[in-house]
Structures are given as structure tokens and as C-alpha cells.
Amino acid sequence: MRHQNSVFHGVLKHVPWGEFDRLVEEYEADFRVRRLTTKSQFVALLYGQLSGAVSLREIVTGLQSHAARLYHLGACPAQRSTLADANAARPSEVFTALFAVLVKQAHRGLRRRIAETTYLIDSTGVRLNGFSDWARFSAGVCGAKVHVIYDPDADRPIYAAVSAANVNDITAAQAMPIEAGATYVFDLGYYDYRWWAALDAEGCRIVTRFKSNTPLAVIAELPVPCDGSILSDRIGHLPARQKSSRRNPFQDPVREIRVKTDTGKVLRILCNDLDASAQEIADLYKRRWAIELFFRWVKQTLKINRFLGTSENAVRIQIAVALIAFLLLRLTQAAQKTVQSPLAFARLVRANLMHRRRIDRLLQTEPTAHLNPAQLALQWNQN
């Protein structure tokens, strides 16, 4: 009978193992390692993300039950204590750098004009164990933030960073890579004139919201449709200072577009594009909700609500592997045409993860009627 690799093997085919080995060597992740290599650690954590395992013990038990198939994955079973030690001590940079490599791989076929590229910026919070002192927010409460730049057209993150929950969003944003000429959409957590000026200097289009108490020195009123959701469209200047002690470096004129939502709420949208239509700018801001849906999908489908370790290193590794799992699922789904829904595909991968099945036949029932008893017994042992 023809040999068929497992679904997990099919997902792992999209990992650039040459780059992974280079990163392991660069960060000396396997230096003096005798039991669990960084590759085996990565395979174990990725198994946990894709299978839905919520603890180290569940990951270890699941992998031990499929020990014979780990050989074909280039990994070996792990002990719980060894895996915990690896998560605490192995450099998280290996996994964050691998995520960056996969981002480039996933975007390789998405060649678009920079002027047509829209990126969404936001962060989401995750609750941590009370022993995670590095991320202590208040008495008895520990948490972290995942800061993301998201491409809604590709439905993929292009950048991610982890910080303690008490780190301001704008502080994390100032370390983000900026693509000159692109459109960036974000909310009030990134309200900083100096950062806006830096984006504007790179030729980026900014779409965000005014704070309710921010005045606008109006220099022009633009016409708007009488029967639409756009209430007004004005051009003006921001205040000369963001704070009493800080001069505002962003002196270029901006747009203020007042929009009435379906719930009756009025939004003041800010944009530095003086030529686009008011409706186009309002629609760009509306796209911001796509990143909220991304965060919800990751939290519900992958595992970043319960953490396998308390140290900063362990948390960074788990979040990086969760984002890698997201990209691998997208790359694997793109290689088949049978299952179109990302959620349905993720569920099918979970249900068949260690089964010997083709990725493009996850919805099909494996034919067995033509097999003789010996072949049926062999297939049963393999599955």
C-alpha cells in the first residue's frame, strides 16, 4: 500500500527548515543541548497549538502516543520537565525570527502597489499567571500585550511584538517597522503627534480618530452629500502643542470627517490625505475591525489564553509559535481547494492532525471496501 504522511507532516512542509537551522545556529539555541533539540521543542509546541492541547502534560502525552510518527517529522518525544526548561531557557528570538521569515514567505505572491496597501495597527491583552512578575500590572494581576501590524487584504499579520500590559501602545508602535507610502489605520491608543509626523514624513497615509477634546483650527469646509452618513468634511490644523511642555511637530493640515454610525454614534475621523473622498476615508477606518476579528480568531482557535510557562521567555515563545501556526494554516489551506473556510480548515486539521491523510482530502471518507483483511489491519495500525 502506498505510504501517506500525516496531516501534521503536510503542515510542517511549509516551514523553511534551512532558515530554522540557521537561526538555531545564530542564537546558539542548541548549545550544550543533549536531550531536546530546538526543532523537537518547536514541533512539540506547534503540535500543542494545532491539536488544542492546553498543558505541557497534554502535549507530552499526545506526542508519546504518536512516537512512531515523530521520526518522519524529524522530532522526538519530550518529557514535561525538559520541555518546560526549554521554554524558559531557549532564546525566544529563534521563534520570533522564524515568524518574520514566514511572513515574507506568505506575502511572496502578494505583489501590490504600495499606494494600495493598507495596514491595521492594534494590540490585544492576554491574562498571565500570577507568578509572571515581569508582567505585573497591579496587585495579583499579571498580563501582557501582543502588538500587531495586520494586512486585512491578505488576512495575515506582518509584524508582532510582545510587551508587559503596562507598556503604552504608542511606545510599542515607535519600534514598529514603517513601510513608506502605505496606509496605516489605528485607534486612539496611538495618539501621538510626533509619531504621526514621522509617518507623514515617510509619505504614509494616516487614518485614525480625534480625541473628543482635540480642537481643529478650520481653514476649509468641503461639501458632503445631504443624505449620507458623512456629516461634515473639514480641513484644518491640529493644536500647536500636544502637551503644555511639548511642541507639536505635525504642522501639516489634516482632514476631519464626521461620520454617523449605524448605532447613531458620531465619529471624528482624522486623515492626512486631503485628496481622497470622505467616504473612502470613512471606509478605511471601518476596516479597522478586521484586526479585532483576527485577534478573536487566534484566541478562540489557537492557544494564547492559557500559558505553558510563567517567564517572559516562555510567554514570548508561545505567542510566536501561535502566530507561526496561524501562518502555516493559511499556507497549507492555500495549497488545497477543497475547504474554503479558515475556521473549518483549522478544525479539520485538528481532528486529523496525526492521521495519514492528504491535505486536500480532509473532507473525504477514506475508501476501505476494496482492502483485504491484512490491508485493513495494516491501515488500522498506521492510523
Side-chain angles (χ1 to χ4, degrees):
M1 190 171 74
R2 180 178 174 271
H3 173 76
Q4 178 63 51
N5 284 317
S6 66
V7 171
F8 194 19
H9 184 277
V11 174
L12 287 171
K13 285 196 304 184
H14 297 280
V15 177
W17 291 114
E19 284 294 308
F20 182 85
D21 293 338
R22 182 187 64 80
L23 292 170
V24 169
E25 184 176 353
E26 177 182 346
Y27 292 102
E28 299 183 342
D30 280 345
F31 181 66
R32 291 184 176 176
V33 170
R34 290 182 296 177
R35 294 185 180 180
L36 186 70
T37 65
T38 304
K39 181 177 182 178
S40 292
Q41 176 195 8
F42 171 63
V43 170
L45 294 176
L46 192 60
Y47 170 85
Q49 291 291 339
L50 297 176
S51 67
V54 297
S55 68
L56 287 173
R57 195 176 301 280
E58 190 173 350
I59 291 173
V60 168
T61 302
L63 288 175
Q64 287 176 344
S65 70
H66 299 289
R69 295 186 183 173
L70 289 181
Y71 172 79
H72 297 286
L73 303 178
C76 61
Q79 297 298 318
R80 187 184 66 83
S81 59
T82 307
L83 185 56
D85 291 342
N87 291 340
R90 303 284 172 83
S92 61
E93 291 83 1
V94 172
F95 304 93
T96 55
L98 179 62
F99 168 71
V101 170
L102 273 170
V103 164
K104 293 180 180 179
Q105 179 176 321
H107 277 66
R108 193 168 295 156
L110 300 173
R111 300 298 182 187
R112 294 169 292 173
R113 293 171 53 196
I114 293 298
E116 299 173 352
T117 302
T118 299
Y119 295 134
L120 313 178
I121 300 177
D122 206 350
S123 67
T124 186
V126 290
R127 188 76 176 264
L128 300 179
N129 186 290
F131 294 104
S132 299
D133 291 329
W134 65 274
R136 187 163 301 282
F137 185 72
S138 60
V141 178
C142 297
K145 281 183 182 179
V146 186
H147 306 269
V148 170
I149 301 178
Y150 177 75
D151 185 340
D153 295 310
D155 185 24
R156 290 161 191 166
I158 66 164
Y159 170 86
V162 179
S163 73
N166 57 7
V167 174
N168 195 294
D169 284 343
I170 190 59
T171 302
Q174 289 166 350
M176 291 178 177
I178 298 301
E179 190 169 343
T183 296
Y184 287 91
V185 184
F186 43 87
D187 209 353
L188 293 173
Y190 303 90
Y191 209 85
D192 184 84
Y193 296 160
R194 188 175 300 279
W195 187 58
W196 295 357
L199 291 174
D200 186 65
E202 292 291 333
C204 299
R205 178 162 58 173
I206 303 165
V207 181
T208 185
R209 277 171 59 193
F210 279 91
K211 285 185 176 179
S212 59
N213 60 349
T214 300
L216 180 73
V218 180
I219 58 175
E221 290 266 3
L222 303 179
V224 297
C226 298
D227 56 351
S229 60
I230 308 295
L231 303 180
S232 67
D233 185 1
R234 308 189 298 176
I235 298 176
H237 291 279
L238 293 167
R241 295 184 179 275
Q242 183 166 4
K243 294 182 179 180
S244 58
S245 60
R246 189 196 308 175
R247 178 182 172 276
N248 177 10
F250 190 23
Q251 296 296 320
D252 292 341
V254 298
R255 296 268 289 281
E256 180 209 58
I257 299 166
R258 293 173 62 246
V259 181
K260 189 173 184 179
T261 66
D262 295 337
T263 61
K265 183 178 180 180
V266 176
L267 302 178
R268 297 173 66 205
I269 299 176
L270 182 151
C271 184
N272 61 338
D273 187 343
L274 306 185
D275 300 318
S277 70
Q279 189 61 55
E280 179 185 346
I281 294 170
D283 290 342
L284 280 170
Y285 185 76
K286 192 174 182 180
R287 298 193 72 185
R288 197 187 65 81
W289 291 106
I291 195 170
E292 300 291 346
L293 296 177
F294 162 73
F295 286 141
R296 184 182 304 174
W297 195 98
V298 170
K299 287 184 175 181
Q300 291 180 349
T301 310
L302 301 175
K303 297 300 170 187
I304 61 169
N305 282 330
R306 293 185 62 177
F307 284 85
L308 307 175
T310 60
S311 70
E312 181 176 3
N313 196 72
V315 170
R316 288 182 181 276
I317 288 176
Q318 185 170 338
I319 291 174
V321 173
L323 294 173
I324 289 170
F326 179 90
L327 290 177
L328 290 176
L329 284 172
R330 287 294 188 267
L331 289 168
T332 307
Q333 184 183 5
Q336 56 85 54
K337 304 297 181 183
T338 307
V339 186
Q340 299 300 318
S341 166
L343 182 58
F345 183 76
R347 287 171 174 169
L348 285 168
V349 168
R350 175 169 298 177
N352 295 277
L353 189 60
M354 300 304 289
H355 292 179
R356 296 186 186 275
R357 303 192 68 175
R358 284 176 49 173
I359 295 292
D360 59 349
R361 294 184 180 177
L362 293 179
L363 283 174
Q364 297 179 8
T365 303
E366 295 293 331
T368 58
H370 66 285
L371 301 179
N372 59 44
Q375 289 174 319
L376 283 171
L378 178 61
Q379 188 183 67
W380 174 262
N381 290 333
Q382 289 178 330
N383 286 328

